[in-house]
Amino acid sequence: MSGSLLIDNIGELVTNSPGDGPLGIRRDAAVLAEEGRVVWVGPSAYAPAADHRIDAGGAAVLPGFVDSHAHLVFAGDRAAEFAARMAGQPYTGGGIRTTVGATRAATDDELRGTVRRLRGEALRQGTTTMEIKSGYGLTVADEARSLRIAAESSTETTFLGAHVVPAEYADRPDDYVGLVCGPMLAAAAPYAKWIDVFCERGAFDVDHARAILACGQAVGLGVRVHANQLGPGPGVQLGVELGAASVDHCTYLSDADVDALADTAHSDGSGTRTVATLLPGAEFSTRSPYPDARRLLDAGVTVALATDCNPGSSYTSSMPFCVALAVREMRMTPAEAVWAATAGGALALRRDDIGVLTPGARADLVVLDAPSHLHLAYRPGVPLIRQVIRNGVPQ
Ligand code: NIG
Ligand code: FE
């Protein structure tokens, strides 16, 4: 579609523009997009003419969801592991190696098909930006091809060669760290924007994690960390120390962890803030306690919500589901949850062109089948995404 696009007759427009209340809400509004960007936001009655028009019919419109944490490049599934968990087995992350085996055995086209299927699923649920990690290859060739395939579907790609130590290196983790920092990073970096480490007991300790993240930084990758998911640990403070854009999971936090995150938010300058990205799909699917979102928000920490879409701990691509969980189970207000799933995700990716609907932003937006953003949590499990517009183009 070429030419300008007007979305008018919007009953409730979430702009996330600071200053107009928590979500920057405008009533009876319209948005004009041109060449993929928002060029005008204002009262529907004064909307300029455009080449194409979508009448929102009084519905709510919000920025497209920004899912800043997803593992889409894998083969197989782990439904039996999920069933065992629901029968009482704990989640330990041990199943990652099962998926590594299946992923290594898959063809490029099989992996590509899975990424496209899940990316399409997410788009239909309103996700206009999705970060995609590697991490189920864990050889030089398999990590490089995972990222090459991820880069076909997203510019937000993350090298997670340090997901777990693969079985063939079980007795020599130092050697695996050397592989990750050396040839694997060299092969992965051309396709990656970020580097991530699973810093957790049973995965990578803080010294290994620091070494790997520093190698990534040295070649220009931004830092993100899987931190404090299964128990208390050093991951969050390591992320803060290295200036990570985001520390993800944050299920078990000490007061010092919360303070360290809050300090980065206060020093602000969006270049230095470390976002706490909460992944309630993982707690849902592993039947674990949810992170304490209220404690983080009350301390002034910037919070994002993401799906963690992966075949083990959280096989959902649905940001509306995560919003509903965050409100019901984590005591976030609906406004906080919607902000965290849009503007929060953008900050977790250090992006200022998405997650907001203000002139100059990318024209990524969602028309709900509902009059208000409140309905995302109020009507859980209901397909409320009527229309998705990405880059100014109806999908
Ligand atoms: O973010 N925690 C580490 N990685 C994923 C789970 C991966 C898996 O179980 O396959 C997560 O939850
Ligand atoms: Fe994850």
Side-chain angles (χ1 to χ4, degrees):
M1 192 190 79
S2 62
S4 55
L5 172 67
L6 178 73
I7 304 105
D8 67 356
N9 205 7
I10 300 170
E12 179 191 275
L13 175 67
V14 172
T15 68
N16 285 337
S17 171
D20 287 335
L23 292 178
I25 285 178
R26 287 169 165 257
R27 311 264 168 214
D28 304 316
V31 176
L32 180 67
E34 249 172 43
E35 291 178 1
R37 299 271 162 180
V38 173
V39 293
W40 180 89
V41 176
S44 200
Y46 299 106
D51 300 317
H52 306 275
R53 173 175 176 240
I54 291 174
D55 179 350
V61 169
L62 50 143
F65 296 116
V66 179
D67 186 353
S68 61
H69 184 137
H71 309 245
L72 303 190
V73 194
F74 64 84
D77 74 31
R78 288 170 24 218
E81 182 190 312
F82 173 76
R85 272 204 303 280
M86 294 305 105
Q89 291 289 314
Y91 174 80
T92 61
I96 294 172
R97 284 181 178 165
T98 306
T99 301
V100 169
T103 304
R104 288 177 179 176
T107 64
D108 290 8
D109 279 345
E110 284 164 347
L111 296 179
R112 188 171 284 123
T114 298
V115 172
R116 289 193 181 155
R117 174 175 64 81
L118 293 170
R119 183 65 195 90
E121 211 178 84
L123 185 68
R124 289 191 294 279
Q125 294 169 94
T127 298
T128 48
T129 302
M130 197 168 194
E131 183 255 19
I132 305 178
K133 300 176 195 298
S134 67
Y136 291 114
L138 310 187
T139 65
V140 172
D142 286 308
E143 284 297 299
R145 76 165 174 152
S146 295
L147 285 160
R148 188 165 29 81
I149 290 166
E152 294 169 2
S153 292
S154 180
T155 57
E156 300 294 344
T157 52
T158 301
F159 171 44
L160 181 59
H163 199 181
V164 288
V165 176
E168 64 275 19
Y169 280 89
D171 300 334
R172 40 193 187 111
D174 290 347
D175 290 353
Y176 186 66
V177 173
L179 180 75
V180 171
C181 286
M184 197 183 280
L185 175 63
Y191 309 107
K193 178 168 174 186
W194 303 96
I195 185 161
D196 192 348
V197 171
F198 185 19
C199 182
E200 195 84 35
R201 197 183 295 272
F204 293 86
D205 68 22
V206 69
D207 294 329
H208 282 158
R210 183 185 285 106
I212 292 164
L213 293 170
C215 293
Q217 268 182 320
V219 299
L221 303 185
V223 170
R224 15 197 4 95
V225 188
H226 276 72
N228 303 55
Q229 176 186 7
L230 305 177
V236 163
Q237 294 194 51
L238 175 66
V240 170
E241 173 194 320
L242 296 176
S246 178
V247 288
D248 297 38
H249 284 285
C250 296
T251 312
Y252 293 90
L253 298 183
S254 67
D255 288 345
D257 296 331
V258 176
D259 289 348
L261 287 167
D263 284 348
T264 73
H266 295 141
S267 67
D268 202 70
S270 42
T272 57
R273 178 199 322 240
T274 299
V275 173
T277 299
L278 310 183
L279 309 166
E283 280 74 34
F284 176 88
S285 181
T286 59
R287 195 171 273 151
S288 303
Y290 289 92
D292 190 344
R294 278 262 59 84
R295 181 181 177 210
L296 288 163
L297 289 163
D298 292 347
V301 175
T302 304
V303 171
L305 288 170
T307 61
D308 197 15
C309 183
N310 75 79
S313 65
S314 183
Y315 201 3
T316 180
S317 56
S318 172
M319 289 294 279
F321 174 62
C322 295
V323 167
L325 284 181
V327 172
R328 172 62 180 81
E329 301 294 337
M330 289 155 56
R331 296 180 190 282
M332 291 174 76
T333 66
E336 286 168 340
V338 167
W339 189 91
T342 52
L347 289 173
L349 295 171
R350 298 238 159 115
R351 295 273 300 266
D352 59 11
D353 60 330
I354 54 176
V356 293
L357 290 175
T358 48
R362 276 178 51 156
D364 290 352
L365 47 94
V366 164
V367 183
L368 295 186
D369 238 331
S372 160
H373 70 282
L374 293 170
H375 285 232
L376 287 166
Y378 173 47
R379 306 200 63 217
V382 178
L384 291 182
I385 309 301
R386 182 191 296 168
Q387 175 128 46
V388 181
I389 294 148
R390 189 160 177 265
N391 253 330
V393 180
Q395 302 294 299

